[in-house]
């Protein structure tokens, strides 16, 4: 029997406790340490794990103390995003594999630091991965696989839409909410980042983004509650991003891929539609006068693609939120044992973060932005601005150029 990998979780807040709960149920992981700058938080989390029958992990206030006091294979960083760099550096320097809870960071300079650390660690046989658990949802795996494998023919376009609702009370509930410095952004960075990541994963490397954002339904926050953008991808496909926290009563997170031989839709992590042309004869016989569907009775194939619990209208997957993280941890464990890259690398997370950052830069400057320029640091000094609907691009550009580095 293979010995489980020993895991230390840094950060005993909501997401850190979630990682710990997932890990204690995973056959290939053992939680051996909980780390938090607030000792009571780590102790409380350890109590919680022990109450489930798991062996009680040690508790420390720093990752260095945990590494010194017990044997650790993997460090899961679940701290505030601004602390990711220093924690990743400490763990990798000690020869530990690292898992970083998303987002990779909220700023490109720090994200590039993490990418450099991960690249150096890869040369020493260490795995660094970033949580993007929805890339492991069976519905999303099926759609991305079909897009990458050519089943959809030429992928022409895609849509990522998150239409959620957050009350004014939600933003008023914490001083950090709705701030650039601590929240990192609004409807896109916080609510839409996963769905944007899935679109980027399926459609390939994004090259250019053009965006507009607005604060249309909330007060006393700095960030956007509504954003729309168009994205041009390297393969030629065009994408649309739409994120809002002002869609009462709160609808779904949905993404779709459209191609010349097939199309698919994922709605709240479940497959809502999937169709691939069965043969070239079907494509050749497509009607030339149809208003919408060119093929009569084109069957929705979603029930043949994934199990029923991953289809819209099917039974609920048990503990779905935990299942996504568990699937990604299975991949991470396999990557460590097989000496390969994980399914979600730091470089992949950097591209998705740059897409979100590029959206904010484009909206602020009022012009299209190249994603490679964002990654290379050209726009590091741009301070995002969410202006009134009448704000001119020139005014936004001036405000951005006068701002300090974020």
């Amino acid at each position: 029997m293979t010995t489980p990998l020993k895991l230390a979780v840094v950060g005993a807040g909501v997401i850190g406790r979630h990682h710990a709960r997932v890990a204690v149920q995973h056959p290939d992981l053992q939680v051996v340490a909980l780390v938090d700058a607030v000792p009571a938080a780590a102790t409380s989390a350890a109590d919680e794990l022990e109450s489930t029958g798991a062996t009680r992990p040690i508790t420390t206030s720093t990752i260095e103390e945990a590494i010194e006091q017990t044997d650790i294979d993997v460090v899961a960083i679940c701290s505030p995003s601004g602390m990711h760099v220093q924690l990743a550096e400490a763990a990798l320097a000690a020869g530990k594999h690292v898992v970083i809870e998303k987002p990779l960071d909220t700023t490109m300079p720090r994200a590039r630091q993490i990418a450099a650390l991960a690249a150096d660690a890869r040369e020493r046989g260490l795995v660094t991965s970033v949580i993007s658990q929805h890339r492991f949802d069976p519905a999303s795996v099926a759609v991305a696989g079909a897009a990458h494998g050519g089943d959809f023919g030429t992928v022409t376009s895609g849509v990522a839409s998150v239409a959620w609702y957050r009350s004014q009370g939600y933003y008023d509930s914490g001083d950090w909410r709705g701030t650039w410095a601590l929240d990192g952004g609004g409807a896109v960075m916080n609510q839409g980042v996963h769905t944007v990541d899935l679109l980027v994963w399926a459609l390939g490397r994004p090259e250019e983004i053009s965006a507009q954002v607005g604060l249309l339904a909330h007060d006393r926050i700095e960030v956007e509650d509504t954003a729309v953008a168009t994205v041009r991808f390297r393969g030629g496909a065009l994408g649309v991003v739409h994120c809002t926290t002002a869609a009462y009563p709160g609808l779904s997170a949905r993404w779709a891929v459209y191609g010349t031989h097939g199309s698919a839709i994922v709605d709240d992590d479940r497959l809502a539609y999937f169709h691939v042309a069965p043969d070239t004869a079907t494509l050749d016989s497509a009607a030339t006068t149809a208003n919408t569907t060119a093929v009569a009775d084109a069957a929705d194939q979603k029930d043949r693609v994934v199990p029923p619990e991953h289809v819209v209208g099917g039974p609920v997957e048990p503990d779905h939120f935990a299942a996504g993280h568990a699937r990604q941890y299975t991949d991470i464990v396999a990557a460590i044992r097989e000496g390969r890259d994980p399914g979600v690398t730091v470089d992949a997370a950097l591209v998705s973060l740059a897409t979100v950052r590029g959206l904010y830069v484009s909206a602020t400057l009022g012009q299209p932005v190249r994603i490679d320029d964002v990654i290379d640091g050209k726009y590091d000094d741009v301070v995002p601005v969410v202006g009134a609907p009448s704000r001119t691009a020139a005014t936004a550009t001036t405000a951005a150029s006068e701002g300090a580095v974020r």
Side-chain angles (χ1 to χ4, degrees), residues 261-281:
H261 292 181
S263 301
I265 301 170
V266 177
D267 196 290
D268 279 346
D269 310 327
R270 292 179 164 200
L271 198 56
Y273 181 82
F274 189 99
H275 180 84
V276 171
D279 48 48
T280 56

Side-chain angles (χ1 to χ4, degrees), residues 201-212:
W201 180 40
L203 268 62
R205 180 63 178 252
E207 289 198 329
E208 186 177 86
I209 189 166
S210 181
Q212 294 192 50

Side-chain angles (χ1 to χ4, degrees), residues 334-396:
I336 292 170
R337 289 178 173 166
E338 296 167 14
R340 63 165 173 84
D341 284 339
V344 183
T345 63
V346 171
D347 288 342
L350 184 69
V351 171
S352 291
L353 177 65
T355 304
V356 174
R357 170 66 177 166
L359 182 151
Y360 290 137
V361 172
S362 172
T364 298
L365 300 183
Q367 65 187 43
V369 167
R370 293 182 67 252
I371 301 302
D372 281 348
D373 287 341
V374 177
I375 292 174
D376 292 341
K378 178 178 179 179
Y379 298 107
D380 283 357
D381 289 345
V382 174
V383 178
V385 174
V386 180
S390 60
R391 186 183 184 91
T392 65
T395 302

